[in-house]
Each structure stands twice: as C-alpha cells, then as structure tokens.
Amino acid sequence: MKRFLSLIFSLLLFVTFAKAQQTADVTITLNEKFFDTLFDAVFTNLENPSFPIAENIQKEEIEKENELANFKKTYNSSDVDFLNANFSVAAQPNTRCNETIRLMREIDGVRTSVRFRDGKISAPIAFTGSYNPPLIGCLNFQGWADSTIELEFDQRTQTLIGRARVAEVRLSGTGGVGSGLIGRIVQSSIDRKINPIQILQMDKVSFVVPVQNSGSLKMQAVGMRHEIINGAMNVHITYRFSKG
C-alpha cells in the first residue's frame, strides 16, 4: 500500500509539473577530451580522411603557353621559386600525380585537435598531400593548418553547423615560408569538401520518453544555442513536451 501511494503521489507531481511547465532546457557538453578520444578512434580504426584537390583528376591537355600564363596569374614568382627550392618534386612524364590532401593525427609534434579558449574554437589540422601545378611536376608536402571553427545555426535545415577557416599554413621544415600557395589550396579544399560541418540536428536530438504504465511523452527540440567556455562547448537545447 505504501508503494502504491508513493507511485500515485509521484505521478501527480509529474502531471502537475508537465502542465505548469511545457518546456525545459537540456545542456550537452562537448569537451576537449571528447574530441581527442574521437580523433584517436578515427585515426586508429579507420583510414585517414582524404579528399582530392582537383575535382577532375583526368585533366585536358593544355598548351604549355596557356598553362604557364594561367599559373603566373594565380601564383607569384616567390611561390614558384619556393616550389623549386623546397618541395619534393616527382616530375615523371608517365606518372599520374595523386592530387589529394590526407589528414594526419600528428605532424612535427602538432596534433589534429579541437581546443576551446577565450570564447573561440581553434582546430590545428595536420596533413600531407601532393599537388601537380603546370610545368612543375608532382609536389609532395606536409605540415599543419592553424584553423578556427565558426559556429552558426542553420534555420533552413535546423542544424548547428561549423565552418572551418584556415588562418595560416605551416609547412614541415620551412618555418612557414611558401605557405601562401599551399594555404590557398588547403583552404579551398576544406571549403569544398569539409564545410559545412554538421554538429547537431534538431530532429536527431528529439525523442519519445516512455512512462511506465502511463504511455509516453514526446520531447521535441524547439531551440538551440551554444556557448564556448575554457576547455569545452555547451549546447543548450530547449525541449517542448507533448503526448507521445
């Protein structure tokens, strides 16, 4: 009898609370350790993420004069001098250059990671890659990109998304010299192949909660906001309760 009365009292309190307050907030915390563990799992258990620099690897044959003119329009002379002096060049006429960027767990002591500091999200990205500019040959490079991630809520898709922006590229063993060329390649590749980064979708965090011997309640996410604190990101989700 005591257990029965206790159950009835708890249900009455639950119903009273549900009628008085139809919405409530839930906070999800994503900290730096979570992302470190995630990256460890990705690079240990899966193939390193990679994406092509060029959309179409099978390029048309172009006259050398046109290639050189286009190359000079895009890159300045210091970039060309740097390529000749500092990159590993594999210019073999019958060898196709695999123009890709491959993400790495670590290059020169810099690890791919996510860090939350002073209200901002920084994301160093370690990588290796190869590129085949006109008249130069296949260039192999490696280094890391000093990136930031900007968050926004996409109303159309009801999704919290991030956009990675490469601020600076540091190439291995060069002290950052010549990073302008590779920086433009890395940034354009990230914009095309990685951005936008889906973090949380409203429909993915909405669910139904069964109440024993009483039916179910639907918890529908109706709002989302985020805040950056030192060491973590908090995502506040507003839920509306209704009959399931």
Side-chain angles (χ1 to χ4, degrees), residues 116-196:
F116 304 97
R117 295 289 187 275
D118 301 322
K120 299 179 180 180
I121 307 176
S122 62
I125 302 173
F127 62 85
T128 61
S130 57
Y131 178 55
N132 188 23
L135 308 181
I136 300 294
C138 192
L139 307 175
N140 299 316
F141 57 85
Q142 67 176 34
W144 60 278
D146 183 8
S147 308
T148 58
I149 298 178
E150 300 173 358
L151 299 181
E152 62 183 77
F153 185 77
D154 188 331
Q155 292 289 347
R156 184 181 63 84
T157 61
Q158 293 289 286
T159 305
L160 179 64
I161 63 174
R163 295 188 183 276
R165 307 294 187 190
V166 176
E168 184 180 7
V169 172
R170 294 184 178 274
L171 301 176
S172 178
T174 67
V177 178
S179 60
L181 170 61
I182 302 303
R184 290 190 288 273
I185 294 173
V186 172
Q187 177 63 75
S188 63
S189 298
I190 286 177
D191 284 340
R192 190 169 60 246
K193 296 298 182 181
I194 295 181
N195 289 326

Side-chain angles (χ1 to χ4, degrees), residues 103-115:
L103 304 188
M104 307 296 291
R105 185 65 177 105
E106 182 175 341
I107 292 290
D108 294 338
V110 177
R111 310 189 82 196
T112 298
S113 59
V114 174
R115 294 291 179 257

Side-chain angles (χ1 to χ4, degrees), residues 3 44 50 56 70 88 110-111 114 121 127 133 135 137 151 159 175 177-178 190 200 202 208-209 236:
R3 291 181 179 177
T44 299
S50 63
N56 184 9
N70 292 332
S88 172
V110 177
R111 310 189 82 196
V114 174
I121 307 176
F127 62 85
L135 308 181
L151 299 181
T159 305
V177 178
I190 286 177
L200 282 177
M202 296 276 272
V208 175
V209 179
H236 305 286

Side-chain angles (χ1 to χ4, degrees), residues 52-90:
I53 291 176
E55 288 289 340
N56 184 9
I57 301 301
Q58 297 288 346
K59 297 179 179 179
E60 295 183 8
E61 291 294 330
I62 305 174
E63 294 290 338
K64 283 189 176 183
E65 291 79 5
N66 292 335
E67 287 186 342
L68 183 58
N70 292 332
F71 188 68
K72 286 183 176 180
K73 288 179 182 178
T74 306
Y75 307 116
N76 57 43
S77 59
S78 62
D79 284 329
V80 178
D81 293 340
F82 171 79
L83 292 173
N84 290 327
N86 294 279
F87 279 101
S88 172
V89 179

